[in-house]
Amino acid sequence: MKKIISGVSIELRQGDISKQADCAAVVNAANAQLETGGGVAGAIHRAAGPELAQEARAMAPIKPGEAVITGAHNLPNLYVIHCLGPVYGQDKPEDKLLGNCYSKALDLAEEKQISSIAFPAISTGIFGYPAEAAAKVAFTKIIEKISTLKTLKNVIFVLYNQQDLDIHKRVLEQIMQGK
Ligand code: AR6
C-alpha cells in the first residue's frame, strides 16, 4: 500500500528491515547501549556486522525518544538511524517519546539529504507498545512533518508479519480520512 501526501509517499510493506536494499536509511529499534539485541536490533546488527556496534558505542547511551545516525557497514543501505523507543508502561509519556523517535529520525535523514527511509514498528515488540496505538502515533507525527521535508520522498514502513501490516494499513486509512 502506498499513499502520497504533499509529494511524499508513505509505503507499507511486509518484510525484514535488514533486507531493504532500495532505502538509503534504515531505522533500528535500538537499546540504550546501541548494542545488538533481539528483534530488529538483532537482525540489523547481524546483517551489518560488528563494526556497527563499534561505531555506535561512542554515541551510547541514548535516552527514550532519542535517535543517532551511523553508517550501515555490511547492510545494503547508506545509514542506520538508531531510535530508542519507550518501554510501554514505564517510560512516560509514551506517545510523546515514541513520536520524538519518528521526528528525530526524519530530521537526521534530512540532514544527510537522503530520499528514502525505512522504519520498523518501533517499541511494538519487546518494549510492549500496542501496535495500533503505536501506528497512530507514528503516522500522525510523520504526516505532521511531511510538508516540511525537503529531500525525503519515500517513507517506508516494514512490518514483520501480515497482522501488523493489516493494522498499519487500517490506521493509515483512518488517519487520512480524519478519523
Ligand atoms: N524486520 C522488521 N520488523 C521486525 C524484525 C525484522 N527483522 N524483527 C522484529 N520485527 P523489537 P522494540 C518487529 O522487539 O519493541 C531489542 O532487543 C517486531 O515484530 O525489535 O522497540 C533491542 O535491543 C515488532 O513489531 O523492538 C531493545 O532492547 C517491531 O519490529 C528492544 O528489543 C519492534 O520489535 C527494543 O524493543
Side-chain angles (χ1 to χ4, degrees), residues 69-165:
I69 189 163
T70 65
H73 300 277
N74 294 335
L75 282 161
N77 315 99
L78 294 175
Y79 300 104
V80 177
I81 298 176
H82 307 256
C83 293
L84 179 60
V87 176
Y88 195 72
Q90 183 182 307
D91 298 319
K92 304 217 180 224
E94 286 122 348
D95 54 349
K96 186 163 182 283
L97 293 172
L98 186 62
N100 286 349
C101 286
Y102 286 93
S103 179
K104 288 182 183 170
L106 294 179
D107 291 345
L108 288 170
E110 283 276 306
E111 275 173 30
K112 297 291 181 190
Q113 302 189 321
I114 54 178
S115 64
S116 54
I117 183 169
F119 285 101
I122 300 169
S123 280
T124 67
I126 292 163
F127 284 176
Y129 211 122
E132 184 161 350
K136 221 171 265 180
V137 171
F139 293 138
T140 303
K141 178 57 75 178
I142 287 167
I143 291 169
E144 185 186 303
K145 288 186 73 127
I146 216 157
S147 63
T148 70
L149 300 177
K150 294 186 175 71
T151 60
L152 267 179
K153 292 292 165 217
N154 300 295
V155 177
I156 296 146
F157 278 75
V158 181
L159 290 322
Y160 209 36
N161 56 46
Q162 184 68 45
Q163 192 192 351
D164 285 338
L165 179 63

